Amino acid sequence: MAKVVVVTSGKGGVGKTTSTAALGAALAQNGANVVVVDFDVGLRNLDLVMGAERRVVFDLINVVQGDARLSQALIRDKRLENLSLLPASQTRDKDALTSEGVQKVINELREKFDWILCDSPAGIEKGAVMAMRHADIAIVVTNPEVSSVRDSDRIIGLLDSKTEKAENGGRIEKHLLLTRFDPIRAARGEMLKTDDVLEILSIPLLGIIPESEEVLRASNLGSPVTLLSPASAPARAYLDAARRLRGEHIEVVVPLERKGFIGRLFGRKVA
Amino acid sequence: MNLITLFRRRTSAPVARERLQVLLAHERSSLGGKSDLLMKLQEEILAVIGKHFTIDRDKVQIKLDRGDSVSTLEIDVEVPSLARVPEAARA
């Protein structure tokens, strides 16, 4: 049965889009049929991170409003044929999304795909609510940093009140994805510890993604990091997180960058 | 991480720059009112074809590739009535 997952956070810039692309690709790399859906109407970016920005013709709003068929708006990934993208509109605003319209599109996607990953816009407004509304599972992307944790707490509150599951008396499955994690700074006590974040938010941990230059390189090149460099530390963390999402039990460890002599010599060089 | 990845790493920023330039050039021109151009184009092309054939709207695929100097628009229309015309009649 198809699973609808919302990738959300409240705060902007924590890594929702990067994580949507990386997890979507990771699930597809394992053979599942996956679609990643951009809900950030007016400020789309998932197309850019996926490297499909030149191929966008129709978008989510066109499908919701009946101006285009779903099959016309879906963009198939050039690297993985079982990975597709449904882009957001760049010209419209969030008011063009209606709960009924989104529901219809999600239902249609459920018939075609095993996993539907919805990339939520930042904030707690209509766009974010539309992205989470019909989800079965929520991934709350959080940085080990006070404002991000506070906003995540707010989003968890919304997930427990504004989603269809919550309104029908059910509970939406929630997971925490800790991103931009710096193990060295965490060990030095300069960063909120994983245990602290988990205790405050009290939702299960899906994975810890280490801060890495590989993530920036992946978005520069327009490729999910799990496809571009599957052996890198963030990619391994995302691949593990995807396995946990599928229900596998794997211990959470923070993968470290494997650096050779040259890498260590030049590793800190930035320009 | 080795020498190869070290050198490859340097190439990612120029790629990002080029991708953004192409994208933004298209977006700046299209956000100024021509945003529905593709939709209009599709409607008009389909209307013209529709005069001669019965078209199933579900069997129309539109592909676009925005390039630096040239973009390609590919419109794939399945025309069932033509396929049913016998070989002899077509010749």
Side-chain angles (χ1 to χ4, degrees):
Chain A
M1 217 187 87
K3 292 233 164 95
V4 181
V5 182
V6 61
V7 180
T8 186
S9 72
K11 193 174 183 300
V14 295
K16 285 182 295 295
T17 303
T18 303
S19 298
T20 305
L23 287 172
L27 290 164
Q29 279 164 288
N30 196 259
N33 273 321
V34 181
V35 63
V36 288
V37 186
D38 195 346
F39 271 85
D40 204 347
V41 179
L43 287 172
R44 74 167 173 231
N45 270 320
L46 189 55
D47 58 331
L48 201 50
V49 172
M50 296 287 292
E53 74 279 2
R54 296 186 186 195
R55 298 164 61 208
V56 175
V57 184
F58 297 114
D59 55 58
L60 175 63
I61 303 282
N62 293 141
V63 180
V64 166
Q65 300 191 333
D67 293 328
R69 304 283 193 275
L70 179 63
S71 59
Q72 293 174 328
L74 287 170
I75 302 171
R76 189 172 285 184
D77 190 272
K78 284 192 167 166
R79 296 149 297 211
L80 279 175
E81 62 163 349
N82 51 334
L83 177 62
S84 295
L85 163 72
L86 182 56
S89 169
Q90 183 70 333
T91 51
R92 312 296 278 273
D93 63 54
K94 291 170 172 70
D95 292 332
L97 288 177
T98 60
S99 182
E100 297 74 31
V102 172
Q103 167 97 72
K104 208 169 142 263
V105 176
I106 297 272
N107 285 346
E108 221 178 312
L109 289 171
R110 275 182 192 273
E111 285 169 23
K112 292 182 181 224
F113 297 97
D114 304 316
W115 292 93
I116 299 140
L117 266 65
C118 306
D119 183 21
S120 170
I124 52 169
E125 312 299 324
K126 188 175 181 184
V129 174
M130 281 301 131
M132 68 169 66
R133 180 111 190 106
H134 308 283
D136 306 309
I137 302 168
I139 296 174
V140 181
V141 182
T142 308
N143 294 165
E145 178 264 324
V146 286
S147 57
S148 174
V149 175
R150 179 202 204 173
D151 290 359
S152 294
D153 190 65
R154 193 77 197 280
I155 276 293
I156 290 170
L158 282 188
L159 287 165
D160 287 335
S161 60
K162 294 274 176 87
T163 52
E164 214 173 42
K165 270 222 153 114
E167 283 178 2
N168 295 333
R171 265 189 104 74
I172 184 164
E173 193 182 317
K174 297 180 289 287
H175 299 275
L176 180 73
L177 188 67
L178 211 54
T179 55
R180 315 198 73 159
F181 185 83
D182 187 336
I184 295 162
R185 300 191 63 196
R188 275 199 223 124
E190 294 169 1
M191 208 177 229
L192 273 175
K193 288 202 164 53
T194 310
D195 288 345
D196 297 338
V197 180
L198 284 173
E199 195 193 316
I200 295 166
L201 296 178
S202 60
I203 58 173
L205 184 63
L206 186 70
I208 303 173
I209 316 297
E211 174 84 73
S212 165
E213 47 197 85
E214 207 59 33
V215 171
L216 175 64
R217 196 170 81 88
S219 61
N220 276 349
L221 299 176
S223 169
V225 70
T226 50
L227 272 177
L228 183 73
S229 37
S232 68
R236 281 182 287 144
Y238 276 121
L239 288 162
D240 277 358
R243 288 172 62 187
R244 288 186 203 103
L245 198 57
R246 290 200 306 268
E248 286 182 46
H249 295 282
I250 328 166
E251 202 193 339
V252 181
V253 287
V254 187
L256 294 174
E257 217 75 69
R258 294 186 190 116
K259 284 194 177 173
F261 173 70
I262 301 281
R264 240 174 274 150
L265 209 63
F266 294 101
R268 290 185 182 272
K269 215 171 161 183
V270 284
Chain B
M1 203 162 306
N2 53 33
L3 263 178
I4 296 165
T5 55
L6 183 77
F7 284 114
R8 206 180 45 185
R9 180 176 311 279
R10 292 225 176 113
T11 66
S12 93
V15 175
R17 192 181 107 104
E18 197 225 306
R19 290 176 62 218
L20 275 174
Q21 280 174 332
V22 172
L23 177 67
L24 294 183
H26 281 280
E27 281 189 351
R28 283 179 188 145
S29 62
S30 66
L31 289 180
K34 285 196 287 171
S35 59
D36 290 335
L37 180 67
L38 275 170
M39 198 122 49
K40 278 192 199 132
L41 202 58
Q42 183 203 5
E43 287 306 321
E44 286 172 20
I45 290 170
L46 291 182
V48 170
I49 300 172
K51 277 193 212 163
H52 305 280
F53 302 108
T54 320
I55 308 172
D56 181 350
R57 296 295 300 254
D58 283 325
K59 306 244 168 91
V60 179
Q61 279 297 337
I62 298 169
K63 280 184 192 151
L64 178 72
D65 200 340
R66 293 186 188 87
D68 208 346
S69 51
V70 183
S71 300
T72 53
L73 179 67
E74 194 182 308
I75 300 183
D76 193 343
V77 184
E78 213 174 283
V79 189
S81 51
L82 189 68
R84 272 189 234 113
V85 177
E87 202 66 36
R90 256 193 271 169

